[in-house]
Amino acid sequence: MKATIFFILLTVLARSRGQYHYQGLMNYLENRMLAMEERISLWHEQNNRYNSDLKEFRQQAADLLEKLGKEHNKLHLDMEGAGARVDRVEREMDYIETKNPPKPCMKAADKMVEQDVVVRERKKEEFFELSVCVNIVSSLKAMKILKRLGSPKGVWTKDARSAKVYAFNGTSDNTLYEFNSVRALSASSGVSKGRQITVSIAWNGTGHAVYDGFLYYVSESSELQVIKYDLKNGSVADSAVFPMDDRSPVYQLNPETLVDLVADEDGLWALYPAGDTINLAKMDIDSLDIEQMWDTACPRNNAEAAFIVCGTVYVVYNTKPPSRSRVQCVFDVNDMVSSGEAPLIYFPRRYGAHSSLKYNSEERQLYAWDDGYQILYKLALKKKLWAIMPPPEE
Ligand SMILES: *[C@@H]1O[C@H](CO)[C@@H](O)[C@H](O)[C@H]1NC(C)=O
Ligand SMILES: *[C@@H]1O[C@H](CO)[C@@H](O)[C@H](O)[C@H]1NC(C)=O
Ligand SMILES: *[C@@H]1O[C@H](CO)[C@@H](O)[C@H](O)[C@H]1NC(C)=O
């Protein structure tokens, strides 16, 4: 196109000048034109090459994008699949937990304090039995103050099996009161409005536990006794002497309680003092035999109460005079909860101090007695870290 315009221009120029100059100019211009055409064709060629390169690059980019898109989709699907699997496993675990309440299992032979008790051989399956119960406390979800009944110290607790509620006014007596529900207790005008139960051997402290129609309590006379009392027909089902030399309290801030009993689907536990620390014993819920003992290494000093969730002991500390109660020491019988994993749990500020904290596994809440107030603390639980990762090698 450019060449054509140039040629016309040349023709016009040629006619206006003399023939003489014509040939020389013509040669000169022709040479220039050839050079230009050459450059144009070179440019065309380059342009074509560039175009085809660009096309190729576009194609490659499109392929790459398509592949990336596909991989992204696949990743997304994989993640959704994994999420669904985790959900399903959690649901299955919840189901298994409701169907088979977890059984006790022991571990940590090195932690055992060997005394003249029957120490059972640890079986391999025991690890897997406990793995069903995999919760640790993550936070305090809610709190409810129900009522103020009775004296500053006492116990109230609910039988996780029978759903009946029991109140123990004070720290030593031979009577307790039974209510059909928490509502019945909060609607009553006093502790003594419940059904009165009188036990033949008096109870001491705040270490009582009620589970599946049985009351487990400590009686201090010449000997320290653990008593199993049948609440259905009002009789002592069994009793055992608790092997403890010195009579110091398990929690320094509650001097009336020497031994704290916990009964749950894992069986019967006893928290008791040993030197400056708190020890834990696992007892047979039927025979009251002591099966195994651990030193939790949790100090008794400034301890106020403790509770057990899925084989993990949470010791609650306070100060004298009382300030905020907090979980400051955690001990797991399976050695599976690292100290960093269990968060420090602070209780809301109250005027008094807890004389007892009784955990109900069905409701996941604590029945607390604080300066005569009956309080419920709802706990948020999460899975133990090892439960969502492969179990460690034996
Ligand atoms: C609860 O204990 C306090 C102090 O020991 C006592 O004054 C009160 O009468 C008791 N209440 C009931 C209902 O037993
Ligand atoms: C245990 O309780 C009984 C009955 O209330 C009481 O007589 C006894 O003094 C208490 N023992 C201790 C060591 O407090
Ligand atoms: C109470 O019930 C248990 C089992 O149901 C039975 O073994 C025991 O003998 C009964 N005790 C009395 C005093 O009725």
Side-chain angles (χ1 to χ4, degrees):
M1 181 73 159
K2 265 186 183 164
T4 321
I5 295 166
F6 214 71
F7 197 75
I8 293 165
L9 195 77
L10 262 180
T11 320
V12 174
L13 261 168
R15 283 202 182 142
S16 60
R17 304 275 174 113
Q19 274 295 329
Y20 184 74
H21 294 287
Y22 177 71
Q23 198 54 49
L25 189 63
M26 198 59 195
N27 287 346
Y28 167 74
L29 286 175
E30 215 162 282
N31 283 342
R32 291 295 308 267
M33 241 170 66
L34 274 174
M36 274 174 107
E37 269 175 4
E38 231 168 80
R39 281 172 68 186
I40 285 169
S41 81
L42 198 72
W43 182 78
H44 260 293
E45 206 179 292
Q46 275 176 353
N47 197 27
N48 278 344
R49 208 164 54 227
Y50 178 71
N51 266 340
S52 70
D53 278 358
L54 190 70
K55 226 167 107 186
E56 203 179 312
F57 174 73
R58 272 213 188 115
Q59 188 58 49
Q60 277 175 0
D63 286 354
L64 207 67
L65 279 174
E66 198 186 308
K67 222 161 87 191
L68 270 176
K70 269 188 200 150
E71 262 163 30
H72 180 266
N73 273 346
K74 191 164 163 284
L75 202 69
H76 198 77
L77 282 176
D78 280 356
M79 273 167 68
E80 273 182 356
R85 275 207 295 279
V86 168
D87 278 354
R88 202 172 60 226
V89 168
E90 285 202 347
R91 272 202 307 278
E92 275 167 12
M93 274 187 171
D94 286 347
Y95 177 74
I96 290 167
E97 270 176 53
T98 58
K99 286 287 152 194
N100 316 297
K103 297 217 177 68
C105 350
M106 285 105 217
K107 203 210 146 195
D110 50 325
K111 283 219 163 76
M112 219 151 65
V113 181
E114 284 197 66
Q115 296 190 6
D116 51 339
V117 293
V118 192
V119 175
R120 274 202 200 154
E121 273 239 331
R122 185 181 168 228
K123 287 187 233 96
K124 204 155 176 99
E125 311 87 69
E126 286 174 340
F127 177 87
F128 297 103
E129 278 180 26
L130 193 76
S131 69
V132 174
C133 187
V134 293
N135 291 322
I136 61 168
V137 178
S138 64
S139 66
L140 211 87
K141 218 160 55 176
M143 170 202 188
K144 185 178 184 180
I145 303 175
L146 246 93
K147 221 174 169 71
R148 190 178 197 179
L149 297 174
S151 60
K153 291 199 173 187
V155 172
W156 79 305
T157 185
K158 182 174 175 179
D159 185 336
R161 284 281 171 85
S162 74
K164 289 209 161 68
V165 175
Y166 297 87
F168 302 74
N169 182 36
T171 55
S172 78
D173 202 354
N174 62 354
T175 56
L176 57 137
Y177 300 92
E178 182 188 83
F179 296 85
N180 284 330
S181 62
V182 171
R183 188 183 288 266
L185 179 132
S186 68
S188 78
S189 57
V191 165
S192 56
K193 294 293 181 283
R195 178 172 84 91
Q196 183 175 327
I197 296 169
T198 304
V199 292
S200 47
I201 306 165
W203 47 263
N204 297 91
T206 55
H208 337 296
V210 181
Y211 188 74
D212 203 17
F214 289 96
L215 161 66
Y216 301 86
Y217 67 96
V218 172
S219 182
E220 296 170 35
S221 47
S222 55
E223 282 180 309
L224 198 64
Q225 276 190 301
V226 173
I227 301 193
K228 180 179 180 180
Y229 185 85
D230 190 333
L231 290 163
K232 295 181 287 290
N233 60 13
S235 65
V236 173
D238 208 346
S239 70
V241 171
F242 196 83
M244 211 168 86
D245 303 332
D246 72 308
R247 293 213 173 175
S248 38
V250 54
Y251 315 119
Q252 188 217 16
L253 298 180
N254 275 308
E256 303 86 0
T257 306
L258 305 195
V259 177
D260 190 10
L261 299 174
V262 177
D264 58 18
E265 56 271 79
D266 283 347
L268 182 64
W269 308 87
L271 290 148
Y272 64 98
D276 292 334
T277 59
I278 296 167
N279 269 17
L280 173 71
K282 181 73 208 334
M283 299 175 79
D284 186 304
I285 203 155
D286 296 318
S287 65
L288 303 181
D289 292 343
I290 294 174
E291 295 171 337
Q292 197 168 349
M293 293 162 136
W294 298 264
D295 181 359
T296 66
C298 292
R300 289 166 50 217
N301 204 23
N302 287 328
E304 171 182 84
F307 56 94
I308 299 177
V309 179
C310 286
T312 304
V313 182
Y314 299 79
V315 184
V316 179
Y317 292 83
N318 206 325
T319 50
K320 209 172 186 177
S323 74
R324 282 185 79 180
S325 304
R326 63 205 168 268
V327 173
Q328 221 167 18
C329 190
V330 171
F331 173 79
D332 183 20
V333 290
N334 275 311
D335 231 351
M336 286 299 182
V337 176
S338 58
S339 48
E341 197 186 339
L344 271 179
I345 298 156
Y346 275 87
F347 289 82
R349 197 180 176 85
R350 301 269 315 124
Y351 296 111
H354 297 115
S355 59
S356 65
L357 287 172
K358 304 290 172 185
Y359 178 67
N360 184 300
S361 56
E362 299 287 310
E363 303 166 337
R364 297 182 165 185
Q365 56 186 3
L366 292 167
Y367 283 69
W369 189 293
D370 178 348
D371 197 28
Y373 287 96
Q374 288 71 48
I375 301 172
L376 289 172
Y377 295 111
K378 216 164 191 67
L379 300 178
L381 305 182
K382 63 178 182 186
K383 301 270 180 265
K384 285 177 188 172
L385 205 55
W386 65 267
I388 49 176
M389 297 191 316
E393 295 294 316
E394 286 280 310

mmCIF file of all heavy atoms in Angstrom, residues 172-173 202-204 220, ligand 2:
data_model
loop_
_atom_site.group_PDB
_atom_site.id
_atom_site.type_symbol
_atom_site.label_atom_id
_atom_site.label_comp_id
_atom_site.label_asym_id
_atom_site.label_seq_id
_atom_site.Cartn_x
_atom_site.Cartn_y
_atom_site.Cartn_z
ATOM 1 N N SER A 172 -20.910 -31.507 108.091
ATOM 2 C CA SER A 172 -21.032 -32.799 108.776
ATOM 3 C C SER A 172 -22.444 -32.949 109.335
ATOM 4 O O SER A 172 -22.994 -32.018 109.926
ATOM 5 C CB SER A 172 -19.992 -32.928 109.897
ATOM 6 O OG SER A 172 -20.384 -32.211 111.047
ATOM 7 N N ASP A 173 -23.028 -34.091 109.085
ATOM 8 C CA ASP A 173 -24.406 -34.339 109.513
ATOM 9 C C ASP A 173 -24.733 -35.792 109.201
ATOM 10 O O ASP A 173 -23.916 -36.507 108.594
ATOM 11 C CB ASP A 173 -25.358 -33.399 108.747
ATOM 12 C CG ASP A 173 -26.686 -33.195 109.486
ATOM 13 O OD1 ASP A 173 -26.917 -33.861 110.520
ATOM 14 O OD2 ASP A 173 -27.505 -32.383 109.024
ATOM 15 N N ALA A 202 -22.625 -40.983 110.042
ATOM 16 C CA ALA A 202 -22.623 -39.575 109.635
ATOM 17 C C ALA A 202 -21.602 -39.294 108.533
ATOM 18 O O ALA A 202 -20.590 -39.991 108.424
ATOM 19 C CB ALA A 202 -22.319 -38.692 110.842
ATOM 20 N N TRP A 203 -21.892 -38.270 107.719
ATOM 21 C CA TRP A 203 -20.937 -37.847 106.675
ATOM 22 C C TRP A 203 -20.158 -36.623 107.157
ATOM 23 O O TRP A 203 -20.633 -35.830 107.947
ATOM 24 C CB TRP A 203 -21.642 -37.564 105.346
ATOM 25 C CG TRP A 203 -22.897 -36.709 105.403
ATOM 26 C CD1 TRP A 203 -24.191 -37.155 105.432
ATOM 27 C CD2 TRP A 203 -22.970 -35.273 105.407
ATOM 28 N NE1 TRP A 203 -25.069 -36.101 105.462
ATOM 29 C CE2 TRP A 203 -24.349 -34.930 105.437
ATOM 30 C CE3 TRP A 203 -22.029 -34.246 105.381
ATOM 31 C CZ2 TRP A 203 -24.802 -33.611 105.446
ATOM 32 C CZ3 TRP A 203 -22.481 -32.922 105.390
ATOM 33 C CH2 TRP A 203 -23.855 -32.622 105.429
ATOM 34 N N ASN A 204 -18.916 -36.515 106.676
ATOM 35 C CA ASN A 204 -18.056 -35.376 107.010
ATOM 36 C C ASN A 204 -17.489 -34.791 105.722
ATOM 37 O O ASN A 204 -17.190 -35.520 104.780
ATOM 38 C CB ASN A 204 -16.889 -35.807 107.897
ATOM 39 C CG ASN A 204 -17.351 -36.335 109.240
ATOM 40 O OD1 ASN A 204 -17.579 -37.542 109.416
ATOM 41 N ND2 ASN A 204 -17.497 -35.442 110.213
ATOM 42 N N GLU A 220 -15.617 -39.644 109.076
ATOM 43 C CA GLU A 220 -14.420 -39.564 109.913
ATOM 44 C C GLU A 220 -14.784 -39.947 111.328
ATOM 45 O O GLU A 220 -15.514 -39.231 112.004
ATOM 46 C CB GLU A 220 -13.880 -38.135 109.964
ATOM 47 C CG GLU A 220 -13.409 -37.594 108.646
ATOM 48 C CD GLU A 220 -13.126 -36.103 108.748
ATOM 49 O OE1 GLU A 220 -12.651 -35.645 109.804
ATOM 50 O OE2 GLU A 220 -13.434 -35.399 107.783
HETATM 51 C C1 LIG B 2 -17.986 -35.982 111.509
HETATM 52 O O1 LIG B 2 -19.379 -35.801 111.606
HETATM 53 C C2 LIG B 2 -19.932 -36.163 112.867
HETATM 54 C C3 LIG B 2 -21.436 -35.977 112.779
HETATM 55 O O2 LIG B 2 -21.785 -34.665 112.475
HETATM 56 C C4 LIG B 2 -19.323 -35.287 113.961
HETATM 57 O O3 LIG B 2 -19.806 -35.683 115.218
HETATM 58 C C5 LIG B 2 -17.824 -35.439 113.933
HETATM 59 O O4 LIG B 2 -17.229 -34.545 114.868
HETATM 60 C C6 LIG B 2 -17.292 -35.137 112.555
HETATM 61 N N1 LIG B 2 -15.888 -35.385 112.525
HETATM 62 C C7 LIG B 2 -15.008 -34.419 112.223
HETATM 63 C C8 LIG B 2 -13.569 -34.827 112.291
HETATM 64 O O5 LIG B 2 -15.347 -33.281 111.935
#
